[in-house]
Amino acid sequence: QVQLVESGGGLVQAGGSLRLSCVANARSFGTFNMGWFRQAPGKEREFVATVNWSGTDADYADSVKGRFTCSRDNGKNTMYLEMTSLTREDTGVYYCATGVQQRRPSLDTVWGQGTQVIVSS
C-alpha cells in the first residue's frame, strides 16, 4: 500500500510563496500520475494540479494556472507544488494523491493526510 506524506504548509501573507512536498514510500512511484487537490473550509475538495508519471507534462486548474508549478523528482519519490502570488482564496488543506486521471481521482487513488495552507491579507 502506497503511503503519502505532505509537508510545507503554513501561514503566509497574500502575495507570498510556499512550496509543498509529497513523499511516497512506493518503489513504483515513477510509474503513476500524481496530483494535488485542496479543500477550503466549507467547500468540497477541488482539483489543483497534476503531473504525469515522467514529470514531462502538467495540468492546472484555471484558478492557479500561471501561479503554481507542479513537478516531481522520481529519484526522490517526491512531488512538489510551488505556489506563488498566493491569495486568500488559496487557503485550504492541500492533499496529494496518486493515480489522478483527467483532473479526477480514480478508484485506486491513495491520499495523503493533507497539509494546511493559510493565506492572510
Side-chain angles (χ1 to χ4, degrees):
Q1 177 74 5
V2 176
Q3 291 184 324
L4 306 174
V5 178
E6 301 102 329
S7 62
L11 175 64
V12 62
Q13 287 190 330
S17 301
L18 280 175
R19 187 174 84 155
L20 307 183
S21 299
C22 172
V23 180
N25 69 344
R27 292 184 178 180
S28 59
F29 177 79
T31 66
F32 45 81
N33 296 343
M34 295 285 296
W36 290 97
F37 292 76
R38 67 186 180 188
Q39 188 167 19
K43 296 186 177 181
E44 293 186 352
R45 191 174 299 187
E46 64 175 0
F47 167 77
V48 174
T50 186
V51 62
N52 70 340
W53 64 272
S54 63
T56 56
D57 188 34
D59 183 34
Y60 301 92
D62 289 345
S63 59
V64 307
K65 196 173 295 184
R67 300 188 298 120
F68 290 12
T69 301
C70 183
S71 62
R72 66 193 296 164
D73 184 338
N74 288 342
K76 296 181 178 180
N77 279 15
T78 302
M79 177 179 63
Y80 304 99
L81 186 68
E82 191 78 39
M83 305 186 294
T84 64
S85 302
L86 287 162
T87 72
R88 292 185 64 183
E89 286 67 38
D90 296 315
T91 292
V93 178
Y94 284 68
Y95 299 90
C96 66
T98 66
V100 179
Q101 300 291 341
Q102 297 181 335
R103 301 187 173 191
R104 295 181 179 181
S106 65
L107 292 176
D108 297 325
T109 289
V110 174
W111 297 93
Q113 84 287 352
T115 185
Q116 177 80 54
V117 172
I118 300 174
V119 183
S120 64
S121 58

